[in-house]
Amino acid sequence: ALPILFYECARVSTPTSGAKELIKDGFDGLISEDFSAESYAITLEKLLKNDGMCQNLVQNANLKKSKFEIENIIDKWYKFIKECEQ
């Protein structure tokens, strides 16, 4: 399965450790203040009320696409395995 980044949609998440590593809040996605449904709804509403923001987040997220292409991931694994062999 492809990461959501490849589906041309804005990313909105709660502040999980994975999301905070993958999303730069306000640049290529939005991260809610906390894990509550209310906080997530506020963040989502902020995005839905601003179409320009949505387009901007998707555009900025596209800058990272190559990092998640399968060929690049395979290359990173090969490099990691070679480093472990030494």
Side-chain angles (χ1 to χ4, degrees):
L2 292 172
I4 196 165
L5 175 67
F6 286 85
Y7 294 103
E8 298 291 322
C9 61
R11 302 174 297 164
V12 179
S13 180
T14 56
T16 62
S17 58
K20 291 190 289 184
E21 292 173 6
L22 296 171
I23 298 172
K24 183 175 179 185
D25 188 33
F27 178 72
D28 57 9
L30 296 176
I31 299 177
S32 63
E33 293 280 329
D34 57 44
F35 292 94
S36 71
E38 182 180 352
S39 177
Y40 187 81
I42 289 168
T43 304
L44 190 56
E45 183 178 33
K46 178 179 170 183
L47 177 66
L48 293 173
K49 287 185 174 183
N50 187 338
D51 191 48
M53 176 189 285
C54 183
Q55 292 172 354
N56 192 42
L57 294 174
V58 170
Q59 187 175 31
N60 290 338
N62 283 338
L63 300 172
K64 293 183 180 179
K65 272 187 178 180
S66 65
K67 182 178 178 180
F68 297 99
E69 290 174 346
I70 192 71
E71 295 82 11
N72 291 330
I73 293 171
I74 290 170
D75 287 343
K76 287 182 182 183
W77 273 107
Y78 281 138
K79 288 176 186 176
F80 176 72
I81 291 168
K82 285 182 180 183
E83 288 174 8
C84 290
E85 291 175 342
Q86 297 176 353

